[in-house]
Amino acid sequence: MAEGRGVQWLDIDEHHDGQRLDNFLLAHLKGAPRTLIYRIIRRGEVRINGGRGKASRRLVKGDRVRVPPLRLTPQEAVQDVSDNLRHVIERSVLKETPDWMVFNKPSGLAVHGGSGVKIGLIEALRQIRDDLPYLELVHRLDRDTSGCLLVAKSREALNFLSDELRAHRMQKHYLALVEGRWSVEQREVSAPLLRFELPNGERRVRVEETGKPSKTRFKLIESLRGATLIEAEPVTGRTHQIRIHAVHAGHPLLGDTKYGSVTGERLAKRCELSRLFLHARTLGFTDPASRQPVTLHAPLSDDLLSVLARLR
């Protein structure tokens, strides 16, 4: 049985002035998947002041958005937040201010729904924190990656932080466990990365001359039995960048089911690693309100600490 919604008229206030149409609809139509949002925009069923609009259109205070009746099958609808997920998200908050929140995102939790994922952190957060009219991701982490994730609580904060990100003024440092002995001399990998799709639709990345310029800085942290704990600082922000650059250097990440090796898979099994060992440990940025530097650290989870202990 499908869930139905009638026509909705949504007025744009100062909180959503300048927001993209697709992001506005994703935030307000909490049960609707991304595929449905883009479909009704593409078909012209969403009207802005009586006219059509593209997904990338920036809304202006005073605009009136018409949303057509929506019918969501149980397979399409974004699921409600379970008590367990609510507890996980609430205890993952590292710091919250009037302008932003930083989470220590657990591995296995997608940052947003789509591609078979019924609910991600941002959709769940909008249900949990329905007292906040505006919540948007400033950046993203892969589903299997844990660690620091920044969410803006206002359009102004998002614009400021996004500018920081684009200008490479935001510092991100990751901890990764790679197979083999990483050389202390291997401090940087510069290799162009190209995104492509497998026949089943799964996205992958490879080093390719026609790809986008990409650079990652590396630092050896600790040599272990059969593996090395390293710090990675992505200078550019390409999909799967750290993972591919580590492979390019000859040291795939442990627990990487997409790009790992058979040797790494055996080692991961021996040290009881059941997930990708990639953790966004440190995030540094300028606070939008005070203009003062902020640095936050996300501790490693107990399961990753146990893996390191077994390899020492």
Side-chain angles (χ1 to χ4, degrees), residues 7-302:
V7 172
Q8 297 183 69
W9 296 94
L10 305 173
D11 295 312
I12 304 304
D13 58 20
E14 64 275 7
H15 296 296
H16 303 287
D17 185 61
Q19 188 174 20
R20 283 173 53 121
L21 175 61
D22 53 356
N23 289 334
F24 173 77
L25 294 175
L26 284 164
H28 280 77
L29 305 177
K30 295 180 180 179
R34 299 175 72 86
T35 51
L36 179 59
I37 295 295
Y38 288 110
R39 186 164 69 239
I40 62 175
I41 294 174
R42 186 174 61 252
R43 291 178 176 174
E45 297 175 39
V46 175
R47 313 295 285 188
I48 306 171
N49 305 324
R52 296 173 69 120
K54 294 183 177 179
S56 59
R57 169 154 174 185
R58 299 284 177 179
L59 298 171
V60 178
K61 181 182 177 182
D63 281 347
R64 195 161 209 223
V65 180
R66 178 194 181 275
V67 182
L70 300 182
R71 294 184 63 79
L72 306 180
T73 66
Q75 290 76 27
E76 284 186 310
V78 172
Q79 67 187 42
D80 291 333
V81 179
S82 66
D83 290 341
N84 181 60
L85 181 56
R86 179 185 297 269
H87 179 63
V88 166
I89 290 176
E90 287 175 344
R91 73 183 182 191
S92 296
V93 178
L94 290 174
K95 186 168 183 178
E96 179 177 359
T97 76
D99 296 296
W100 49 265
M101 306 171 74
V102 173
F103 295 85
N104 183 3
K105 185 192 82 68
S107 175
L109 176 62
V111 295
H112 59 71
S115 300
V117 177
K118 289 294 185 68
I119 189 167
L121 184 142
I122 193 66
E123 292 89 2
L125 187 61
R126 287 168 182 156
Q127 291 186 43
I128 295 168
R129 295 298 303 273
D130 56 5
D131 58 309
L132 299 175
Y134 188 96
L135 287 167
E136 288 291 344
L137 295 164
V138 176
H139 62 108
R140 293 174 181 174
L141 292 176
D142 290 340
R143 183 176 185 175
D144 296 329
T145 304
S146 57
C148 292
L149 181 72
L150 179 59
V151 173
K153 295 169 66 177
S154 70
R155 164 57 49 182
E156 295 75 21
L158 178 66
N159 288 340
F160 179 86
L161 293 167
S162 295
D163 287 344
E164 291 282 291
L165 189 63
R166 281 191 293 269
H168 303 291
R169 291 191 293 266
M170 194 172 287
Q171 293 81 48
K172 298 179 185 178
H173 292 88
Y174 294 72
L175 283 178
L177 186 64
V178 299
E179 86 177 60
R181 187 168 293 277
W182 187 280
S183 170
V184 70
E185 304 299 326
Q186 181 71 70
R187 297 189 179 95
E188 183 177 294
V189 172
S190 293
L193 300 180
L194 179 69
R195 289 177 59 174
F196 66 98
E197 282 192 1
L198 296 176
N200 64 3
E202 184 181 351
R203 67 175 184 174
R204 292 288 179 95
V205 179
R206 65 173 177 253
V207 172
E208 186 77 50
E209 286 303 316
T210 57
K212 294 182 178 179
S214 308
K215 181 189 292 186
T216 308
R217 298 190 183 106
F218 292 99
K219 178 182 177 182
L220 191 154
I221 300 298
E222 185 180 359
S223 294
L224 303 161
R225 288 184 297 163
T228 309
L229 182 65
I230 60 171
E231 180 184 85
E233 179 189 0
V235 178
T236 50
R238 313 300 182 202
T239 301
H240 300 168
Q241 177 176 315
I242 294 172
R243 297 157 72 177
I244 297 299
H245 278 175
V247 170
H248 191 64
H251 302 278
L253 269 64
L254 293 191
D256 193 340
T257 57
K258 289 182 184 290
Y259 307 109
S261 71
V262 174
T263 301
E265 185 179 342
R266 289 171 182 157
L267 179 58
K269 189 174 182 179
R270 284 204 304 271
C271 64
E272 299 179 32
L273 175 63
S274 58
R275 50 154 290 198
L276 176 69
F277 200 124
L278 183 60
H279 178 75
R281 177 173 66 167
T282 304
L283 180 65
F285 57 93
T286 301
D287 182 83
S290 68
R291 298 299 198 266
Q292 294 300 306
V294 176
T295 303
L296 293 168
H297 303 282
L300 283 173
S301 57
D302 290 342

